[in-house]
Amino acid sequence: MLIRSQDNGFNHPIASEITPPDAYLRRREWLQQVAMGAGALGMGAWATRDARAQMARPGKLAPLPGVKSAVAGASTVEAVTAYDDATLYNNFYEFGTDKSDPAAYSKQFKPRPWTVQVEGLVKNPRTYGIEDLLKLSAMEERIYRLRCVEGWSMVIPWVGYSVAELIKKVEPLGSAKYVEFVTLADKAQMPGLRSGVLDWPYVEGLRLDEAMHPLTLLAFGMYGEVLPNQNGAPLRLVVPWKYGFKSGKSLVKIRFTDKEPRTAWNVSAPQEYGFYSNVNPDVAHPRWSQASERRIGEGQGLFAKRRKTLMFNGYEPQVGQLYAGMDLRKFF
Ligand SMILES: Nc1nc2c(c(=O)[nH]1)N[C@H]1C(S)=C(S)[C@@H](COP(=O)(O)O)O[C@H]1N2
Ligand SMILES: [Mo]
């Protein structure tokens, strides 16, 4: 995203400046694994045309399986992004602003014990322990595109359930119009908090009807296992039709309000990051076009294959109605 520099201007570390793990080497490793027979072991439910993605569960973290979701549009048939790409190339500014920082500096992070406070304009405010949340509804697997405002995207097999399941339990009052999602800000565990790049804690928000949409996912896992720390353990939001920054990681509070919440990115650069932040190829970011994107794992720099960015990240049939009659240039 953007970094506030000392003179209080902004500069933006563009994705192409950061070198990902070498794609060729990864492919060769994979071919070796296949030759050894490992590639055939326990194909994930997310197996796609992409051979690399047909590997077994990564086997790095505790298993967290999910049943194939019945929610309309919940699983794209596109090739799944390789686990290494999805876990070594991250945005999680609490651990640093380089793409490699979250994986490098979240190793000691403790996702247990963990509680999430659900409060504000609801009939049943409550503090949930992570174990209660894991049991609250059946875990589903959903293969979502996630598109970062920086111009790259990934396809991830998430595990979780609609945040609507939790919202129904706490029963929002008629006056509740918005939901604020607050994420952890713990200086002892998160070295990135020493920087003033954002106004901590990282806060994001949705309109209540957006939060209630069945595609809006409360994710606890990915690739059939619990979330890696760098991807937002122990739970995060995933809003697939919005730019990635709307999907807050390591949630600690969900608050129902009658006013549009202030969001961390909007506070930091209001002219660049609006409240809605729907993926929209027709509305350029003030400093770059949003018309196309690079899929992580599909090359870098000159060799990068560019894909056309789709309206609402391809989820227009499911969510377009939420914005009927709105001027999406004004409400960007
Ligand atoms: N708490 C918190 N959540 C966050 C961020 C962050 O810096 N802090 N970055 C966001 C951005 S910009 C993106 S693109 C996605 C990236 O998620 P991923 O690393 O799992 O791909 O997380 C979002 N959630
Ligand atoms: Mo992002």
Side-chain angles (χ1 to χ4, degrees):
M1 305 267 295
L2 72 154
I3 293 178
R4 195 188 295 267
S5 61
Q6 272 154 344
D7 61 7
N8 243 357
F10 294 101
N11 65 65
H12 175 78
I14 52 169
S16 59
E17 286 171 343
I18 301 126
T19 313
D22 186 272
Y24 165 74
L25 266 180
R26 261 199 331 270
R27 170 131 191 95
R28 200 175 58 181
E29 263 168 47
W30 179 78
L31 287 169
Q32 280 164 356
Q33 275 180 298
V34 169
M36 287 158 55
L41 286 173
M43 290 225 285
W46 55 82
T48 68
R49 287 167 291 134
D50 182 41
R52 278 186 294 134
Q54 292 181 355
M55 282 171 36
R57 289 206 179 110
K60 306 219 167 168
L61 298 168
L64 186 69
V67 298
K68 195 176 171 347
S69 179
V71 170
S75 286
T76 168
V77 296
E78 287 175 313
V80 163
T81 297
Y83 185 81
D84 280 357
D85 289 325
T87 55
L88 298 174
Y89 188 94
N90 299 102
N91 274 336
F92 199 164
Y93 276 19
E94 288 85 338
F95 293 104
T97 53
D98 282 355
K99 295 287 179 269
S100 55
D101 286 344
Y105 301 119
S106 68
K107 289 191 167 62
Q108 308 301 319
F109 180 75
K110 295 265 174 301
R112 296 283 192 287
W114 195 273
T115 58
V116 179
Q117 249 173 286
V118 187
E119 59 175 46
L121 302 173
V122 289
K123 202 170 149 201
N124 313 312
R126 183 179 155 183
T127 298
Y128 286 87
I130 184 67
E131 305 305 332
D132 306 322
L133 288 172
L134 284 164
K135 284 184 297 205
L136 187 128
S137 190
M139 288 292 164
E140 296 178 9
E141 183 171 86
R142 303 185 183 183
I143 304 174
Y144 284 168
R145 289 179 212 94
L146 189 104
R147 207 291 197 173
C148 177
V149 75
E150 293 165 339
W152 49 268
S153 61
M154 311 181 292
V155 176
I156 309 282
W158 300 104
V159 182
Y161 50 77
S162 299
V163 72
E165 299 300 328
L166 172 60
I167 296 176
K168 283 183 224 156
K169 295 265 193 287
V170 297
E171 297 185 58
L173 303 177
S175 51
K177 297 283 180 278
Y178 295 91
V179 193
E180 185 182 77
F181 296 90
V182 183
T183 77
L184 185 73
D186 179 0
K187 284 207 172 95
Q189 299 195 78
M190 299 170 137
L193 295 178
R194 278 183 240 130
S195 110
V197 61
L198 285 174
D199 190 13
W200 314 110
Y202 190 105
V203 176
E204 260 307 335
L206 296 172
R207 229 168 46 192
L208 182 59
D209 61 337
E210 297 179 316
M212 286 296 291
H213 192 283
L215 282 176
T216 305
L217 183 71
L218 195 57
F220 300 84
M222 55 191 237
Y223 300 81
E225 299 183 352
V226 298
L227 286 172
N229 292 340
Q230 62 268 37
N231 292 82
L235 81 165
R236 69 175 296 175
L237 207 64
V238 187
V239 194
W241 70 94
K242 292 181 182 268
Y243 291 116
F245 67 88
K246 297 296 284 183
S247 296
K249 293 175 170 180
S250 305
L251 296 173
V252 292
K253 195 186 284 188
I254 300 177
R255 202 162 70 91
F256 292 76
T257 67
D258 53 2
K259 288 182 195 65
E260 193 179 280
R262 285 160 54 85
T263 67
W265 283 106
N266 185 246
V267 166
S268 130
Q271 69 290 359
E272 306 200 352
Y273 306 110
F275 178 78
Y276 283 90
S277 308
N278 289 319
V279 175
N280 188 341
D282 302 328
V283 177
H285 182 280
R287 290 180 287 133
W288 60 88
S289 161
Q290 295 290 24
S292 72
E293 67 202 57
R294 177 177 69 86
R295 186 66 48 84
I296 299 297
E298 287 184 343
Q300 192 76 8
L302 278 177
F303 304 102
K305 170 177 165 189
R306 304 288 302 185
R307 293 167 177 261
K308 255 184 76 161
T309 288
L310 302 172
M311 187 63 198
F312 295 112
N313 204 22
Y315 300 92
E316 184 167 21
Q318 290 81 27
V319 303
Q321 263 309 110
L322 292 173
Y323 311 100
M326 281 177 73
D327 178 351
L328 298 178
R329 289 185 177 273
K330 183 164 174 233
F331 299 98
F332 65 91

